[in-house]
Amino acid sequence: AAVLALAAVGFTLQFAVTDVLNLAYGGVMVVSAYAAYALNSHGVSIWIAATAAIATGAALSVFLNNVIYTPFQRKGTSPIAMVIVALGMTLILVFGTQALAGPTNVSYTLSQGKLVKVGSIELTVVQLGIIGLSVVVMLAVHSLIRYTRLGKAMRATAANRNLARNCGIRTDRVVMLTWLITGALCGLAGLTFAINSGTFGATSTDIFLVLILAAVFLGGPGQPYGAMLGALVIGLATEVS
């Protein structure tokens, strides 16, 4: 649920502000996970390598927006056609990564720490760390949306981009910053997903993207708080079932 919340909130914020259903999100997650693995496999601590995953997710998301999605949107491409474009980018990212990294799964070098038991629930220290990290990030997203000028601009752009622009909001800048922030969340989600999975490969996020979509649409597309709740419900339901 914690990993899913990190991914779902970034995904739904992208959709709310940019009007792009970015199905390449899972591809960006796995590329970010491999960016951290490239450092970790050479002896760098995974927690330091996490910066590479976050930076990769942010940079790749901005690249997708500037080079791929925005030119299509300026040409008046329909929403369903944009979904097909995003699917195409997913294939490029996933199978491009597989061509470079190989078909076998890999894993990070890290200690899971002690096993903590709470009743019949058993969690490792690393898993508790992921839960704590997710809570901190959700609070940070809440603060960003509710209490900052950028957050207010994001909400205005999501509600009505043309009206926001006429009110003096630099919507193009808001959209770019949204891709940067949500891309960083995507990179962090890719890292935590890989840590929690134990092993991962280029196609590991394919099924996880379905869970992201389920959490987003359960909570309401474009609703970050709904995505948090949807992630909690879907995450716990899949584990319990």
Side-chain angles (χ1 to χ4, degrees), residues 107-121:
S107 59
Y108 295 135
T109 302
L110 81 161
S111 171
Q112 292 291 330
K114 296 180 180 179
L115 195 64
V116 179
K117 294 184 179 181
V118 182
S120 61
I121 300 173

Side-chain angles (χ1 to χ4, degrees), residues 30 33-34 37 103-110 112 190-205 208:
V30 81
Y34 269 102
Y37 174 75
T104 57
N105 281 14
V106 297
S107 59
Y108 295 135
T109 302
L110 81 161
Q112 292 291 330
L191 177 82
T192 54
F193 169 81
I195 291 175
N196 192 56
S197 298
T199 65
F200 66 98
T203 59
S204 294
T205 56
F208 193 68

Side-chain angles (χ1 to χ4, degrees), residues 134-156:
S134 182
V135 171
V136 170
V137 171
M138 294 305 104
L139 290 174
V141 169
H142 167 71
S143 299
L144 170 68
I145 294 173
R146 289 294 175 188
Y147 304 118
T148 67
R149 291 182 62 186
L150 175 59
K152 293 177 182 178
M154 289 169 67
R155 283 187 282 144

Side-chain angles (χ1 to χ4, degrees), residues 119-190:
S120 61
I121 300 173
E122 295 182 351
L123 294 169
T124 65
V125 171
V126 169
Q127 288 175 321
L128 289 172
I130 290 174
I131 293 171
L133 176 64
S134 182
V135 171
V136 170
V137 171
M138 294 305 104
L139 290 174
V141 169
H142 167 71
S143 299
L144 170 68
I145 294 173
R146 289 294 175 188
Y147 304 118
T148 67
R149 291 182 62 186
L150 175 59
K152 293 177 182 178
M154 289 169 67
R155 283 187 282 144
T157 303
N160 190 317
R161 186 180 298 192
N162 290 331
L163 181 59
R165 186 185 299 112
N166 292 336
C167 291
I169 296 174
R170 298 175 61 182
T171 54
D172 289 344
R173 184 183 179 187
V174 171
V175 168
M176 188 274 290
L177 289 174
T178 299
W179 280 102
L180 186 71
I181 294 168
T182 57
L185 285 173
C186 181
L188 183 60

Side-chain angles (χ1 to χ4, degrees), residues 63-94:
F63 173 83
L64 286 174
N65 174 59
N66 292 344
V67 178
I68 307 298
Y69 297 143
T70 296
F72 274 101
Q73 286 180 313
R74 286 174 179 168
K75 293 178 182 178
T77 305
S78 65
I80 188 63
M82 289 299 298
V83 170
I84 295 172
V85 171
L87 284 172
M89 293 311 304
T90 300
L91 296 176
I92 291 172
L93 291 172
V94 169

